[in-house]
Amino acid sequence: MSRIVLKAILGFVMRVLYRPKVEGMERIPATGPVILAGNHVTFIDSLFLSLVVKRPVYFIGKDEYVTGKGFKGRLMAWFFTSSGMIPVDRDGGHGGVAALMTGRRILEEGSVFGIYPEGTRSPDGRLYRGRTGIARLTLMTGAPVVPFAMIGTDKVQPGGKGRPHIAPVTVRFGEPLDFSRYDGMDRDRYVLRAVTDEVMSDVMELSGQEYVDMYATKARAA
């Protein structure tokens, strides 16, 4: 119920203020598990994606977003969980495994799982090398991957911080990708890299971003 209320209120506000343009919505399967994999340029990407997609979309998020104290903490926890975020401690030694298993559970329940293969927001607007968690998920569950691109959200919230600005936003979805030809090969690192690179190639084509063959975390650290 909270998801419906949040989507109704914020959906109306965002349609009025931003009038987001959505391309290729019909490419998202109406039923069954599906992975939405796209670029990540600012904090509010997940919010726009959740509001334009008709089916509920679930994401992995830092557990610190829902552990705040007092009224503000409870309000933030309600907002993020209602937006489809599932909190996971990603900073611990088993954070990556926990995130992967959570995504697998969501897909095995027949739901939609949103993921950013870069692993973090782009530090400069370019598209960075994808991590192979996306490949493991699609090979373990058989769920198709629908690539998507967020275009313009970096203008809405430059640097991922501060008050959002009014700017045009486009959410573009590509053709579903089926990797059933690699069934049973989710432990082959060459297959995992090939699957991930194919997904990122489609994301690059949809977004028009320049591609950088290194991880975003390394670029951010540098």
Side-chain angles (χ1 to χ4, degrees):
M1 181 61 70
S2 59
R3 174 187 284 269
I4 295 174
V5 172
L6 182 65
K7 189 168 185 175
I9 296 173
L10 281 184
F12 173 77
V13 172
M14 294 180 78
R15 281 194 298 272
V16 171
L17 293 179
Y18 297 101
R19 300 182 182 276
K21 182 180 179 181
V22 183
E23 301 176 2
M25 178 73 75
E26 70 282 356
R27 292 167 174 166
I28 300 176
T31 60
V34 59
I35 302 171
L36 301 182
N39 60 334
H40 196 15
V41 291
T42 191
F43 179 77
I44 61 174
D45 290 335
S46 299
L47 184 58
F48 270 99
L49 186 66
S50 293
L51 291 174
V52 301
V53 175
K54 296 178 182 179
R55 296 179 62 185
V57 182
Y58 296 93
F59 298 90
I60 296 297
K62 295 180 180 180
D63 61 350
E64 64 190 58
Y65 293 148
V66 299
T67 55
K69 305 298 183 182
F71 175 75
K72 182 179 179 181
R74 292 194 298 272
L75 182 62
M76 288 183 63
W78 174 82
F79 177 82
F80 284 114
T81 54
S82 297
S83 299
M85 192 200 87
I86 297 177
V88 171
D89 181 5
R90 300 185 303 176
D91 295 327
H94 300 287
V97 175
L100 185 67
M101 291 301 100
T102 301
R104 181 177 184 175
R105 175 177 59 80
I106 292 169
L107 292 168
E108 289 178 344
E109 291 173 353
S111 300
V112 181
F113 184 64
I115 188 172
Y116 303 109
E118 292 169 278
T120 187
R121 295 193 300 272
S122 170
D124 54 17
R126 296 184 293 177
L127 185 69
Y128 284 82
R129 195 179 198 212
R131 296 188 176 274
T132 57
I134 173 69
R136 292 181 186 277
L137 279 175
T138 185
L139 296 185
M140 286 191 301
T141 65
V145 179
V146 175
F148 71 88
M150 308 298 300
I151 302 170
T153 53
D154 56 328
K155 303 297 189 301
V156 174
Q157 195 178 35
K161 298 180 180 179
R163 180 178 298 177
H165 304 285
I166 304 300
V169 171
T170 298
V171 186
R172 184 176 294 152
F173 297 97
E175 294 288 348
L177 301 174
D178 177 17
F179 295 105
S180 59
R181 62 189 182 277
Y182 297 123
D183 185 40
M185 304 176 71
D186 59 283
R187 295 184 181 275
D188 187 316
R189 63 190 182 96
Y190 297 105
V191 169
L192 294 177
R193 174 46 55 191
V195 169
T196 303
D197 287 347
E198 184 174 339
V199 172
M200 297 309 291
S201 177
D202 277 24
V203 173
M204 179 182 67
E205 190 171 323
L206 291 166
S207 68
Q209 291 170 281
E210 177 186 350
Y211 180 75
V212 183
D213 193 22
M214 68 181 296
Y215 293 121
T217 49
K218 291 186 177 181
R220 188 182 297 277

